[in-house]
Amino acid sequence: MYINKIRLIFSGMIFLMLPQYVIAQCDARIGEIRHLYDDFESYYSSQPSPARKEFRINLVNDNNCNAYMILTTENQYRLKGQFQYIKYQIRSNNQNFILPSRARFNFVDSTADINLLIPVGTVVRAGVYSDNFLIKLFDKNNTLLDEKYFEIQEDIVSRASISILGYNSHSSNVYLGELIPRKEYSMLPSFKVITNTDVRLNVYSENRGELRHDVYKAKYAIGYFINLDGEWVSLKQNYSRVFSYNRKDDFFISLKMRIDDFKKQAAGEYTDILRFQISPLNY
């Protein structure tokens, strides 16, 4: 009789504890993933601050169950493109940088804000880049509650610019001084090109490769060649040349000029107008 009474009491304890276990269960799930900010597409390596992409992950049925999230990516925290990978950094809600090996995020008010950063100085070629994310949600007992995949895709736009450096760089006019037959003039400006892709350089001569007399333009002219980065070029026709991207965001083009042989030219000033145009190539 005494033994049966003990068994009844024991069974009652199990019955009373079971509802408490059900109440403590965490039913949190991954909700909406919202993109908040993105300037990856306009990134260039010489910009003063990192490029940033921010998104927010929301929880549903959180009930203060201290859930946390582990974030992994298909490309090991790199954006994959046609020509290269771009490493990015991860920053959490509290502005701390997260190591990829410990990409754990806690939720504040059922949300977690995640920032992806491309550090300043990262050399990036224009193109389309992507990475696939896997979010795993765990409760405080490390039990898997939910998981979700999502993709990010970025189109970093092509850009190119050209500027004048060196001798006479403060002016668009170049004075050669006295013109001497077959003389080579090297005291000319050079060009700096900033780009994130292959570029095409076009050069146009208003007088088709001739310096013409300011007064007697149709009667007196002196031919010349220019040297662009080691290549002698005639401008009797428009000149075009492609410079391939070489994993640097800038390069320099030197400029020289050589006067043709001439005789019996009228005294006075001889001029020509050259136009240099750089444009990115989109593939």
Side-chain angles (χ1 to χ4, degrees), residues 26-31 57-72 92-93 98 101-114 134-148:
C26 180
D27 295 322
R29 293 292 182 268
I30 300 170
I57 299 174
N58 294 276
L59 285 189
V60 294
N61 302 325
D62 184 9
N63 298 325
N64 297 317
C65 59
N66 297 320
Y68 68 90
M69 175 185 70
I70 297 294
L71 176 67
T72 58
S92 63
N93 307 49
I98 304 295
S101 59
R102 298 188 282 122
R104 170 172 171 161
F105 297 85
N106 296 318
F107 290 87
V108 177
D109 296 330
S110 299
T111 64
D113 292 345
I114 299 175
L134 172 60
I135 301 172
K136 290 188 175 183
L137 184 69
F138 298 87
D139 65 13
K140 63 182 179 181
N141 298 315
N142 301 321
T143 301
L144 179 64
L145 301 174
D146 194 11
E147 62 181 23
K148 180 174 288 189

Side-chain angles (χ1 to χ4, degrees), residues 73-80 85 130-132:
T73 86
E74 179 181 347
N75 298 322
Q76 290 75 53
Y77 309 94
R78 300 177 301 171
L79 294 172
K80 181 182 179 181
Y85 286 89
S130 63
D131 198 2
N132 292 308

Side-chain angles (χ1 to χ4, degrees), residues 120-263:
V120 172
T122 302
V123 178
V124 175
R125 182 168 184 168
V128 178
Y129 294 84
S130 63
D131 198 2
N132 292 308
F133 288 76
L134 172 60
I135 301 172
K136 290 188 175 183
L137 184 69
F138 298 87
D139 65 13
K140 63 182 179 181
N141 298 315
N142 301 321
T143 301
L144 179 64
L145 301 174
D146 194 11
E147 62 181 23
K148 180 174 288 189
Y149 290 89
F150 73 98
E151 179 187 20
I152 62 170
Q153 182 168 299
E154 300 292 337
D155 187 0
I156 297 180
V157 298
S158 303
R159 60 174 62 241
S161 64
I162 187 169
S163 57
I164 301 175
L165 298 177
Y167 182 78
N168 251 355
S169 61
H170 63 282
S171 172
S172 60
N173 297 322
V174 177
Y175 297 95
L176 300 176
E178 182 182 0
L179 297 179
I180 300 174
R182 298 188 301 275
K183 180 178 178 179
E184 185 176 306
Y185 296 83
S186 59
M187 297 295 288
L188 301 178
S190 58
F191 299 102
K192 180 180 180 179
V193 177
I194 299 176
T195 183
N196 61 359
T197 187
D198 298 346
V199 294
R200 183 183 302 278
L201 173 68
N202 295 307
V203 185
Y204 308 96
S205 165
E206 186 174 278
N207 296 330
R208 296 296 182 182
E210 293 181 337
L211 297 170
R212 293 183 181 174
H213 196 281
D214 278 357
V215 178
Y216 307 107
K217 297 180 183 294
K219 187 174 182 180
Y220 296 103
I222 300 173
Y224 67 89
F225 290 83
I226 63 169
N227 187 298
L228 284 170
D229 203 35
E231 179 184 354
W232 287 104
V233 176
S234 170
L235 296 180
K236 293 185 181 299
Q237 296 180 337
N238 295 334
Y239 172 77
S240 180
R241 179 177 172 184
V242 172
F243 291 84
S244 297
Y245 179 77
N246 60 355
R247 298 191 61 81
K248 292 178 61 179
D249 62 357
D250 59 21
F251 64 92
F252 300 89
I253 301 174
S254 59
L255 179 63
K256 297 179 183 179
M257 178 180 287
R258 187 178 69 221
I259 302 299
D260 281 352
D261 192 12
F262 65 88
K263 296 178 181 179

